[in-house]
Amino acid sequence: MSLVTTGKLVEEAHINGKCVPAFNVGSMEMVRGAVKAAEELNVPIIIQIAERLLKYSPLELMGPMMVQAARESRVDIAVNMDHCRDLAVMKRALDYGFTGVMYDGSTDPYEDNIRGTIEAVKLASSYGASTEGELGLVGGSEDGLSDHGIKCTNPDLSRDFCEKTGISCLAVAIGNAHGDYPTAPELAFDVLEQINMKAGKPLVLHGGSGLTDEDFQKAVSLGISKINIGTASFNKVTQSAGEYLQEPGKHTFFQMSTAMTNGMYLNALRHIKVFNSME
């Protein structure tokens, strides 16, 4: 198959009532595990990395690896720059071959969010890539170091935002949050239903870690065509490494790497099946 745009995968999922899993990755093991699961189930996926996490997983190392993995995959894969505000970082990702970007102006006033998102769309479009925008405020953050609270997306502004910015898909806030949930969230499905009727674009759910399978599937039925999974993957990879190191006998880096890859594979496999209602 091939390296494709985020917009292409999300639009196809939207038309067919499906959902594209978007896995945040931070290492070779995570990339390999996600691709292995996608190929086994023959389902396209998105692999992505957030700007806040580049201090741990440098773009100059991760970017080429992610793009090459997508190019060599037996299924369609998009490579996305997640939660990015710095257009210079965005341009670097696009130079490496990323096929999608997500501009996060969610903490800005509405008009400022529109202006920033338009600039991101212009930049990405010049590379043939697609752009995701965000309206409303998803709680927490990708690195767990900040939380600006949660502010549900205003359904009445969703179409205006999509039309003015030219984005391919819209990330919404319906009570979801990044990171580990201290208590199970209650998603505002009534708000999601209104957004889906008014936005006119495929919708994206961030902060998927911790939601129930039923929450995911209901969200997909109400227009969510891309779901981001980050924390659950990082936790599973860490757990897999820890379990390997608890085993008796001699330990090697390569066996630990294999355990981490398998942890990511199992987590990706589960979420792909849930999002697409596969047995």
Side-chain angles (χ1 to χ4, degrees):
M1 303 301 279
S2 62
L3 174 66
V4 298
T5 67
T6 299
K8 177 181 185 293
L9 294 186
V10 175
E11 180 63 28
E12 289 176 352
H14 180 66
I15 292 171
N16 295 310
K18 301 289 186 179
C19 178
V20 183
F23 296 106
N24 284 73
V25 297
S27 70
M28 177 189 71
E29 291 81 6
M30 298 185 77
V31 173
R32 293 182 67 195
V35 172
K36 179 182 177 182
E39 290 181 333
E40 181 173 314
L41 296 175
N42 195 31
V43 173
I45 62 168
I46 298 163
I47 52 176
Q48 57 186 25
I49 190 166
E51 181 182 355
R52 282 176 178 263
L53 300 183
L54 296 180
K55 59 186 174 183
Y56 306 108
S57 305
L59 184 59
E60 62 270 22
L61 301 179
M62 288 297 301
M65 177 172 61
M66 292 164 69
V67 170
Q68 191 62 24
R71 285 178 175 150
E72 295 186 5
S73 172
R74 296 194 300 272
V75 297
D76 285 342
I77 295 182
V79 180
N80 193 53
M81 185 71 234
D82 190 31
H83 282 286
C84 190
R85 288 182 59 88
D86 189 332
L87 292 182
V89 172
M90 200 174 286
K91 184 179 185 305
R92 286 178 59 213
L94 292 165
D95 284 336
Y96 285 126
F98 279 47
T99 56
V101 297
M102 187 269 180
Y103 180 79
D104 186 356
S106 59
T107 58
D108 297 338
Y110 183 66
E111 293 299 332
D112 291 345
N113 189 1
I114 288 177
R115 280 192 289 270
T117 305
I118 288 174
E119 289 302 309
V121 169
K122 288 180 180 177
L123 176 61
S125 296
S126 71
Y127 285 82
S130 54
T131 305
E132 173 185 335
E134 182 172 334
L135 186 60
L137 198 55
V138 175
S141 65
E142 298 70 46
D143 57 4
L145 298 179
S146 63
D147 189 346
H148 297 282
I150 298 174
K151 180 181 179 182
C152 278
T153 302
N154 184 339
D156 294 328
L157 292 176
S158 59
R159 179 174 289 275
D160 180 68
F161 185 83
C162 290
E163 289 180 345
K164 287 182 177 177
T165 58
I167 54 175
S168 298
C169 52
L170 176 67
V172 298
I174 53 170
N176 44 314
H178 299 105
D180 287 308
Y181 291 110
T183 58
E186 293 186 11
L187 299 185
F189 289 115
D190 56 333
V191 175
L192 176 58
E193 188 171 13
Q194 293 178 54
I195 298 168
N196 189 35
M197 289 188 296
K198 296 179 180 182
K201 289 288 182 180
L203 305 179
V204 180
L205 185 70
H206 289 224
S209 300
L211 298 181
T212 66
D213 294 354
E214 292 75 19
D215 283 338
F216 284 133
Q217 291 169 353
K218 186 170 183 178
V220 173
S221 75
L222 294 174
I224 293 294
S225 303
K226 171 179 179 272
I227 299 177
N228 289 11
I229 293 295
T231 300
S233 296
F234 291 116
N235 287 349
K236 183 64 174 177
V237 170
T238 303
Q239 176 190 339
S240 298
E243 289 173 350
Y244 166 69
L245 293 174
Q246 293 278 336
E247 294 176 0
K250 181 181 177 181
H251 300 102
T252 70
F253 166 79
F254 298 104
Q255 289 178 324
M256 183 177 70
S257 175
T258 299
M260 294 167 69
T261 299
N262 190 57
M264 181 67 193
Y265 157 76
L266 292 173
N267 185 67
L269 201 71
R270 190 187 86 77
H271 284 95
I272 293 171
K273 289 180 177 179
V274 170
F275 295 172
N276 291 281
S277 299
M278 301 168 68
E279 293 297 330

